[in-house]
C-alpha cells in the first residue's frame, strides 16, 4: 500500500470527492461511508492499517510458499540469491513466468478476504463478517485517496512535499493509475456489501450492526466459510484458493517460527533498538540456525510490525 493509505490527502469521513474524470468515485465513497457510519476517524485509520498489515502478510506468505515450492522441485534458477548464499526471493526477471498470487495479478480486496490465516495474528481471533466488511470499506476509501492523490497532488521539489493542485496537468499514466484506484475502490465496496447481504445483515446507516460470530471450525473450514460468497470464477481467484489452501496446511510450522522469532525479539533489547528491517534480517539469520522453518527477512520484519502494534494496543 502507498503512503496515502494514511489518508494524508483525503479525509475518509468528510473529504470532498472530485466528479471528473471518474464520477464513480463519489458513489464508492458514499457506500463505504455508509458501512463505516458508526466509526470514528481513528477507527477508520485503524481499519485501513489492519487491512494493510493483512494484505502485506498475505503476499509475503504467498511468496514464501512459492520459494519453498521452487526449492523442493530443485528450480533454484528462479531464485534471487546474494553473494553469501542467502535467498532474497524470486528473480525479478523471471517472476512473470510463475503462477502465484502477487500484487500484479491479485487485487488487494481478494488478498484481504482470502487470507484467513493472517487474521488471528492481527485481531487475536477470526474476524466477524462485520469486521471484514468494514476493513474492505476502509480499503475502498484508501483506494479513493490514492486516486485523488494521483489526480490532484504534485510533488514540489522546493518544499519537498506533495502539494494540492486544483487543475493539475494530467499525464497518461496519471489517468491509468487513478483509474485503477477507482476500479479497486468499487471492487472493495462491492465485496463488503456482498458479504453482509449474503448473510442478511446489511443495515441502514442509523442502525446498530447485528452481531455475527463465525462457527467454531477447523482452519480449513474457516477459510472455506469466509470465501463462500466469492467462489473462484476466474484464474486469479483460483490462484487465491490454491494459495489459501496451501497456507492453511503450512500454518502450524509458520506459527512455530513466528512465535520463536517474536519471543527472541521480546527477550533481546538490542534487537528492539534496531529498525524493523535490520531486526528482520538478524532474526531471519537466527531462524536459519534453529530447527524451525526458515522465513525471509521481509516476512520477519512484517511479524515484528504487527507484534509492536499489538503491544501498543495493550498499553
Amino acid at each position: 500500500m502507498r503512503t496515502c493509505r494514511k489518508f494524508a490527502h483525503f479525509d475518509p469521513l468528510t473529504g470532498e470527492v472530485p466528479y471528473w474524470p471518474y464520477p464513480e468515485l463519489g458513489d464508492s465513497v458514499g457506500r463505504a461511508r455508509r458501512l463505516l457510519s458508526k466509526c470514528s476517524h481513528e477507527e477508520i485509520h485503524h481499519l485501513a492499517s489492519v487491512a494493510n498489515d493483512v494484505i502485506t502478510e498475505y503476499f509475503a506468505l504467498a511468496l514464501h510458499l512459492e520459494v519453498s515450492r521452487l526449492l523442493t522441485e530443485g528450480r533454484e534458477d528462479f531464485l534471487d540469491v546474494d553473494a553469501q548464499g542467502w535467498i532474497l526471493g524470486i528473480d525479478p526477471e523471471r517472476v512473470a513466468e510463475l503462477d502465484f498470487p502477487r500484487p500484479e495479478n491479485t487485487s488487494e480486496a481478494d488478498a484481504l478476504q482470502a487470507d484467513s490465516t493472517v487474521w488471528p495474528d492481527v485481531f487475536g481471533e477470526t474476524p466477524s463478517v462485520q469486521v471484514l466488511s468494514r476493513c474492505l470499506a476502509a480499503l475502498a476509501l484508501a483506494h479513493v485517496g490514492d486516486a485523488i492523490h494521483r489526480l490532484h497532488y504534485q510533488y514540489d521539489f522546493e518544499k519537498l512535499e506533495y502539494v494540492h493542485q486544483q487543475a493539475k496537468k494530467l499525464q497518461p499514466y496519471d489517468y491509468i493509475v487513478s483509474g485503477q484506484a477507482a476500479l479497486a475502490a468499487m471492487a472493495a465496496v462491492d465485496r463488503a456489501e456482498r458479504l453482509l447481504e449474503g448473510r442478511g445483515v446489511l443495515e441502514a446507516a442509523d442502525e446498530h450492526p447485528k452481531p455475527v460470530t463465525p462457527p467454531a471450525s477447523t482452519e480449513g473450514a474457516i477459510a472455506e466459510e469466509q470465501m463462500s460468497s466469492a467462489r473462484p470464477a476466474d484464474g486469479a481467484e483460483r490462484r487465491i484458493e490454491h494459495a489459501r489452501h496451501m497456507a492453511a496446511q503450512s500454518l502450524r510450522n509458520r506459527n512455530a517460527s513466528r512465535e520463536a522469532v517474536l519471543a527472541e525479539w521480546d527477550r533481546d533489547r538490542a534487537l528492539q533498538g534496531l529498525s524493523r528491517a535490520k531486526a528482520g534480517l538478524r532474526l531471519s539469520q537466527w531462524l536459519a540456525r534453529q530447527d524451525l522453518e526458515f522465513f525471509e527477512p521481509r516476512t520477519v520484519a512484517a511479524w515484528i510490525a504487527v507484534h509492536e502494534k499489538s503491544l501498543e494496543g495493550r498499553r
Side-chain angles (χ1 to χ4, degrees), residues 19 31 176 251 253 285:
Y19 181 81
R31 292 159 62 196
I176 293 172
L251 182 59
N253 289 340
Q285 295 170 345

Side-chain angles (χ1 to χ4, degrees), residues 280-297:
L281 177 60
R282 291 196 183 183
L283 284 169
S284 180
Q285 295 170 345
W286 173 85
L287 188 60
R289 300 191 297 270
Q290 312 304 311
D291 187 21
L292 294 164
E293 187 172 358
F294 173 78
F295 285 84
E296 63 176 327

Side-chain angles (χ1 to χ4, degrees), residues 82-89 261 264-265 268 270-272 274-290 294-305:
D82 67 11
Q84 286 73 42
W86 291 102
I87 297 174
L88 304 178
V261 160
E264 183 68 12
W265 187 87
D268 193 335
L271 285 172
Q272 297 171 25
L274 299 175
S275 67
R276 290 171 182 169
K278 290 182 179 179
L281 177 60
R282 291 196 183 183
L283 284 169
S284 180
Q285 295 170 345
W286 173 85
L287 188 60
R289 300 191 297 270
Q290 312 304 311
F294 173 78
F295 285 84
E296 63 176 327
R298 283 174 290 185
T299 300
V300 175
W303 291 345
I304 294 171

